[in-house]
Amino acid sequence: MVRLTIDLLECATESINPARERELNLRGYKIAQIENLGVTNDLYDAIDLSDNELRRLDGFPYLTRLKCVILNNNKITKIAPNLEVNVPNLEDLIITNNNIQELGDLDPLSTLTNLRRLSLLRNPVVYKKHYRLYMINKLPKLRFLDFKKIKEVEREAAVHMFTTEEGKNLTKEVEEQKKQAEFTPGEPIKTGPSAAELQAIKQRITQASSLEEVEKLKMILQSGQIPQTEEEEAAMET
């Protein structure tokens, strides 16, 4: 692991990216934590932190110029609340190929009112039922989600869904999951799947009918989750 020190920041390269933004390149240093960005003196429109070892999206100082943050290929599982306080003008957030698992883990993004483009591709959370509608509802000013333009019909569907009983139940489930995710001292921690769960996982993989399904199962397993059985998935669709 490498610390994001002042020396490293001073040695980092910068460039004008294709969007004609001044960009700081911090790719591939194996940085474990965002820190010390105050020494940049808010001189950058974009910061690329891809290919590091980040586990949390936090640690930003007050950067009013910053509009784009790229975080591909990290290990991010948590997003800090109140990001809008320190990066109020953030418009683009690319978190492709990380480890965000639950819809509730994305709720802190709802305060980024200037966010226009967001990518969460190759995070386990994208396989959650109603993921896209959930995010469109949480971020009504978002224009692109996972590099796909949000259509007006999707906005209408998102608004409608969360006025229905199904949408209200989903909101309750997300809130309950967030409460359960809070660590309680003394509670046993589950360290892996049981023998029966392992057998079920193997069966799901051997029965996969497409490369897309295999990739989905792989992402879920890498996140530490247990894939649902076909019966459970069928029940969720009804």
Side-chain angles (χ1 to χ4, degrees):
M1 300 290 184
V2 174
R3 286 196 62 186
L4 183 52
T5 63
I6 294 173
D7 287 341
L8 192 156
L9 285 163
E10 290 177 344
C11 294
T13 60
E14 60 179 73
S15 63
I16 302 299
N17 66 22
R20 302 188 65 82
E21 298 170 328
R22 188 176 183 183
E23 180 175 307
L24 180 64
N25 182 4
L26 295 169
R27 297 176 65 106
Y29 287 102
K30 304 303 179 186
I31 297 164
Q33 181 180 345
I34 297 172
E35 56 185 335
N36 293 320
L37 288 178
V39 302
T40 65
N41 294 317
D42 201 11
L43 293 176
Y44 298 98
D45 306 291
I47 297 177
D48 189 347
L49 283 153
S50 299
D51 304 313
N52 284 295
E53 299 289 331
L54 300 172
R55 295 179 182 274
R56 286 179 57 88
L57 179 51
D58 63 2
F60 290 96
Y62 188 53
L63 300 172
T64 60
R65 181 171 174 174
L66 188 62
K67 294 182 179 179
C68 175
V69 177
I70 306 170
L71 296 149
N72 298 329
N73 308 322
N74 277 277
K75 299 177 180 179
I76 294 170
T77 60
K78 298 296 181 183
I79 299 171
N82 305 317
L83 285 175
E84 79 288 352
V85 173
N86 292 329
V87 285
N89 297 311
L90 193 66
E91 296 181 358
D92 299 86
L93 184 57
I94 312 301
I95 322 178
T96 300
N97 195 28
N98 278 271
N99 198 22
I100 300 172
Q101 300 181 27
E102 303 292 341
L103 293 175
D105 295 334
L106 300 172
D107 283 357
L109 296 178
S110 64
T111 61
L112 292 169
T113 55
N114 287 309
L115 199 62
R116 297 296 180 264
R117 288 161 287 273
L118 172 66
S119 172
L120 294 158
L121 290 171
R122 301 201 68 191
N123 280 267
V125 70
V126 303
Y127 299 113
K128 293 289 184 179
K129 188 177 182 182
H130 300 311
Y131 150 76
R132 189 170 174 88
L133 291 181
Y134 186 85
M135 292 309 299
I136 293 171
N137 183 65
K138 283 288 181 179
L139 290 160
K141 293 185 178 180
L142 199 65
R143 295 176 183 172
F144 291 84
L145 178 58
D146 299 334
F147 301 104
K148 293 182 180 179
K149 187 173 182 179
I150 297 172
K151 300 177 181 178
E152 188 59 33
V153 64
E154 290 182 298
R155 297 190 191 281
E156 294 172 357
V159 170
H160 173 71
M161 179 183 171
F162 288 92
T163 62
T164 66
E165 194 66 27
E166 182 179 16
K168 292 175 182 177
N169 287 338
L170 176 59
T171 300
K172 290 179 182 178
E173 289 172 8
V174 169
E175 291 301 319
E176 184 62 29
Q177 186 280 324
K178 286 163 66 175
K179 291 178 182 178
Q180 292 177 356
E182 296 176 358
F183 174 70
T184 302
E187 287 188 352
I189 299 174
K190 185 175 180 180
T191 58
S194 65
E197 287 171 335
L198 283 171
Q199 183 60 36
I201 292 168
K202 291 178 182 179
Q203 186 175 0
R204 287 297 306 275
I205 292 173
T206 57
Q207 292 177 348
S209 58
S210 66
L211 288 175
E212 182 180 359
E213 187 175 353
V214 172
E215 181 67 14
K216 175 180 175 180
L217 290 167
K218 178 182 175 183
M219 286 293 297
I220 294 172
L221 287 171
Q222 286 177 341
S223 75
Q225 299 183 73
I226 305 301
Q228 294 175 317
T229 64
E230 292 180 353
E231 291 78 9
E232 289 172 335
E233 289 185 347
M236 286 185 66
E237 296 295 331
T238 59

